[in-house]
């Protein structure tokens, strides 16, 4: 019998393998990954500099260790080039084929790159996996000033982390406030002020056009004519689900690889989860959704079909200078934001519908108990 094949060894691929092994210790299992197969928690990448953590120290196991833990074959540094859903097989870039009984796509997402001009556009870095982090850490070893493009969750977290590690930071975004997809304006502006008070140079409404080399460093040119002289540039513009493999194989693809609540794609015996997947219209590139998906999918793979449920899943933004928890309302939800300033300097924003139901919140500062209370009042994302 052909093995269950999981493509991707990130949190999604590894967690589904681990959960499957809880239910089924024996069915042959192969994990394929184009990286080195190390097991690590990706969220640690954006708060590791402050603790001067090396990439190696962030990995809890290498590929051999993962294989032993999972009673699986881990094929590291192997890239899947195509899927033949009719023949139930994947082909690697070298042409070799591997048959599967069931196939799990846990392919992650690609960082979006903004088109930049200048002779140093290729010096712009991004951090989306452990190898990127190793390169970034080495590149900024002697840097005293780092410029970040994009004030989303990842850009803000790196800004705080770089600051704590003793560097000057400029954080650029064309939008008028950071975390624009996650928080309303009032929270975004307050959050920006807190990061600025901690020392981050917030450049909102600003966008980079070119990156040039100058003596021993880089010069970022801005659309408004301004310049920033800096030692390194990190891009954190956003992520796009990796759908190309699935699309080429004829699977239904929208923003992500389209799956139902059983995590089934449109092809028989092919499943998807994590950052590459769109689960009943939800593309949620965070840890909690993929953990829930992995638990459900493991049951299905083990022969007990199970549907994924998403409870309310607030995201904690790891910026100690401005502690923030966000649970944005669903796109298009009817209602409005209300604000409450706490005597402890916290700002609580709640999104409430006409009946008074809480549909989302953003909590800047504030006690963990408040966060828990708000979370309990939220509806499930997928009940
Ligand atoms: C810096 C950073 C900080 C974050 N912080 C948080 C946080 O605080 N909280 C939170 O909830 N979320 C956070 N996230 C998001 C969270 O980390 C991701 O949602 C999650 O790690 C995605 O896991 P994944 O397994 O889907 O994808 P990935 O970890 O990207 O794994 C994809 C895997 O697919 C493999 N692969 C891809 N294509 C192929 C191919 N063709 N052949 C073989 N292998 C292939 C890759 O090698 C890799 O192993 C953060 C993300 C980043 C980048």
């Amino acid at each position: 019998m052909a093995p269950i094949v999981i493509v991707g060894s990130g949190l999604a691929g590894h967690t589904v393998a681990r959960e499957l092994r809880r239910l089924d210790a024996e069915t042959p299992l192969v994990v394929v990954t184009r990286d080195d197969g190390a097991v690590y928690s990706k969220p640690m990448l954006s708060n590791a500099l402050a603790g001067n953590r090396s990439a190696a120290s962030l990995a809890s196991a290498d590929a051999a260790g993962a294989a032993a833990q999972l009673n699986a074959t881990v094929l590291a540094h192997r890239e899947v080039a195509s899927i033949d859903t009719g023949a139930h097989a994947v082909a690697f870039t070298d042409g070799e084929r591997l048959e599967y009984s069931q196939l799990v796509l846990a392919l992650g997402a690609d960082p979006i790159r903004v088109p930049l001009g200048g002779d140093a556009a290729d010096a712009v870095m991004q951090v989306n996996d452990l190898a990127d982090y190793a390169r970034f850490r080495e590149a900024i070893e002697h840097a005293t000033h780092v410029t970040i493009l994009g004030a989303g969750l990842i850009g803000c977290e790196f800004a705080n982390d770089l600051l704590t590690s003793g560097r000057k930071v400029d954080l650029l975004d064309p939008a008028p406030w950071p975390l624009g997809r996650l928080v309303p304006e009032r929270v975004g502006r307050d959050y920006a002020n807190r990061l600025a008070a901690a020392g981050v140079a917030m450049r909102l409404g600003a966008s980079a056009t070119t990156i040039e080399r100058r003596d021993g460093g880089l010069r970022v040119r801005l659309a408004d004519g301004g310049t920033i002289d800096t030692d390194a540039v990190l891009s954190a513009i956003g992520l796009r689900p990796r759908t190309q493999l699935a699309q080429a194989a004829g699977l239904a693809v929208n923003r992500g690889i389209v799956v139902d609540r059983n995590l089934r794609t449109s092809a028989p015996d092919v499943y998807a989860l994590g950052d590459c997947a769109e689960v009943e219209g939800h593309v949620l590139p965070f840890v909690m959704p993929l953990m829930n998906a992995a638990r459900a999918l493991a049951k299905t793979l083990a022969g007990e079909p199970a549907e994924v449920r998403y409870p309310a899943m607030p995201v904690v933004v790891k910026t100690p200078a401005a502690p923030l928890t966000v649970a944005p309302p669903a796109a298009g939800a009817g209602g409005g934001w209300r604000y409450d300033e706490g005597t402890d300097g916290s700002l609580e924003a709640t999104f409430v519908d006409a009946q008074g139901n809480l549909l989302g919140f953003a909590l800047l500062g504030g006690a963990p108990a408040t966060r828990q209370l708000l979370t309990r009042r939220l509806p499930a994302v997928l009940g």
Side-chain angles (χ1 to χ4, degrees):
M1 164 111 171
I4 295 175
V5 174
I6 299 174
V7 186
S9 62
L11 276 173
H14 184 75
T15 308
V16 77
R18 204 186 56 216
E19 292 294 326
L20 174 64
R21 280 302 183 234
R22 292 199 174 146
L23 305 170
D24 171 351
E26 295 305 328
T27 298
L29 177 62
V30 178
V31 178
V32 179
T33 179
R34 66 182 180 192
D35 60 32
D36 66 3
V39 180
Y40 72 102
S41 175
K42 194 185 283 199
M44 293 177 75
L45 300 183
S46 50
N47 62 359
L49 292 167
N52 199 19
R53 301 284 304 270
S54 69
S57 79
L58 296 177
S60 62
D62 61 10
Q69 279 169 19
L70 298 169
N71 183 27
T73 301
V74 177
L75 302 177
H77 302 297
R78 299 298 303 276
E79 180 165 352
V80 171
S82 62
I83 307 165
D84 182 342
T85 56
H88 273 55
V90 296
F92 295 101
T93 40
D94 62 7
E96 198 187 323
R97 285 166 71 88
L98 174 66
E99 288 187 3
Y100 60 81
S101 56
Q102 304 187 87
L103 177 67
V104 176
L105 302 176
L107 303 167
D110 278 319
I112 295 169
R113 296 205 70 125
V114 272
L116 289 166
D119 63 358
D122 61 354
V124 174
M125 288 173 281
Q126 59 204 20
V127 177
N128 186 37
D129 60 32
L130 201 53
D132 287 345
Y133 174 76
R135 277 189 292 273
F136 179 61
R137 186 166 175 268
E138 195 186 331
I140 62 159
E141 196 184 344
H142 303 295
T144 57
H145 182 185
V146 179
T147 298
I148 301 174
L149 311 181
L153 179 134
I154 293 169
C156 290
E157 291 189 349
F158 271 110
N160 199 148
D161 200 36
L162 284 158
L163 193 72
T164 312
S165 74
R167 292 162 174 103
K168 266 183 73 185
V169 182
D170 276 66
L171 180 58
L172 272 70
D173 201 294
W177 68 88
L179 302 170
R181 292 212 188 112
L182 299 173
V183 298
E185 177 168 1
R186 181 160 162 196
V187 175
R189 291 196 186 274
D190 192 338
Y191 179 75
N193 290 340
R194 293 180 197 218
L195 286 187
V200 177
M202 299 297 295
R203 293 178 177 259
L204 297 162
S207 50
T209 55
T210 59
I211 317 289
E212 296 160 2
R213 285 185 208 286
R214 59 171 185 106
D215 279 349
L218 302 173
R219 173 162 294 163
V220 181
R221 286 195 185 278
L222 307 178
D224 68 2
T227 57
I228 304 169
D229 287 344
T230 189
D231 298 318
V233 180
L234 177 70
S235 174
I237 303 295
L239 294 167
R240 188 174 289 134
R242 291 188 178 120
T243 55
Q244 303 89 331
L245 255 186
Q247 190 159 28
L251 273 57
V253 158
N254 189 29
R255 280 188 300 148
I257 302 171
V258 172
V259 294
D260 63 14
R261 290 190 58 168
N262 289 98
L263 291 317
R264 280 186 304 223
T265 68
S266 58
D269 302 316
V270 184
Y271 303 85
L273 81 165
D275 282 9
C276 68
E278 178 173 327
V279 184
E280 288 219 331
H282 297 274
V283 176
L284 297 170
F286 300 108
V287 173
M288 280 283 284
L290 72 80
M291 292 286 172
N292 284 285
R295 280 191 286 272
L297 181 51
K299 288 185 191 152
T300 301
L301 295 172
E304 295 280 338
E307 293 191 338
V308 64
R309 283 177 211 292
Y310 286 159
M313 299 175 289
V315 174
V316 175
V317 184
K318 304 186 295 295
T319 46
L324 176 67
T325 306
V326 293
W337 286 98
R338 294 178 186 168
Y339 299 93
D340 194 4
E341 285 179 20
T343 48
D344 56 356
S346 63
L347 175 61
E348 181 182 308
T350 47
F351 188 91
V352 178
D353 70 10
Q355 289 73 43
N357 300 308
L358 183 71
L359 300 182
F361 73 84
L363 182 63
L364 189 48
T370 311
R371 183 171 75 209
Q372 284 154 16
L373 220 64
L374 289 168
T375 304
R376 275 205 289 275
R377 286 175 50 205
L378 285 175
V381 177
L382 266 182

